[in-house]
Amino acid sequence: MRTVLLFFTLMFMPSAAIAVDAAARDAAKATVERQIDAFRRDDAATAYAQAAPAIQGLFPSPETFIAMVKQGYGAVYRNRRFSVDRIEDAGDDGVALGVTLQDEDGADWAALYSLEKQSDGAWRITGCRLVKAPGSKA
């Protein structure tokens, strides 16, 4: 009987690592929004600060980071509009954000951001995959 009780207790007991709560999702979304806003203002320091330490290690200064974004992620760097369409759990302390963007020329893009919660509790961007949306003009 104790075994059955223990089994049901463990099975229905909430686990802290199962899902990221709504407040954490909002904080992760705010990180991406803060970075996109910083790009719009050419605020390299703020944009760079939203990147995870591993990304910062690849680009040792805000200036080199923003230069890479300008060259390879034009729709993220300068866009007419963007919206966060979905937020999903990605591991114990991670989330993925699906973002749609329209670049300055009117072409539509889809971005998939990955973020991890840092030891200080802050959400930082670990990657961004950018693809032109199917059927996009321009």
Side-chain angles (χ1 to χ4, degrees):
M1 182 69 173
R2 279 190 236 177
T3 305
V4 172
L5 183 59
L6 178 62
F7 172 76
F8 280 109
T9 302
L10 292 175
M11 188 145 165
F12 294 106
M13 199 163 108
S15 170
I18 289 178
V20 176
D21 66 20
R25 287 172 180 242
D26 289 345
K29 178 181 174 188
T31 299
V32 170
E33 290 171 338
R34 196 168 29 257
Q35 187 179 65
I36 291 173
D37 183 56
F39 289 141
R40 287 179 170 169
R41 294 180 286 111
D42 284 319
D43 181 352
T46 298
Y48 185 71
Q50 308 318 302
I55 301 299
Q56 291 178 355
L58 296 172
F59 304 96
S61 73
E63 293 73 29
T64 57
F65 175 70
I66 205 163
M68 175 277 300
V69 173
K70 284 180 185 179
Q71 183 177 21
Y73 296 83
V76 172
Y77 177 68
R78 286 289 189 266
N79 57 76
R80 290 182 181 178
R81 66 178 176 266
F82 76 94
S83 65
V84 176
D85 300 324
R86 70 182 193 281
I87 304 173
E88 300 175 5
D89 292 349
D92 292 344
D93 284 324
V95 294
L97 274 72
V99 177
T100 56
L101 306 115
Q102 186 177 72
D103 68 19
E104 290 182 309
D105 297 324
D108 295 321
W109 296 81
L112 180 64
Y113 280 84
S114 58
L115 293 91
E116 282 185 348
K117 191 172 189 178
Q118 305 301 299
S119 59
D120 66 358
W123 287 92
R124 294 294 174 246
I125 299 166
T126 58
C128 176
R129 182 169 172 243
L130 183 65
V131 296
K132 192 170 266 189
S136 177
K137 60 183 177 176

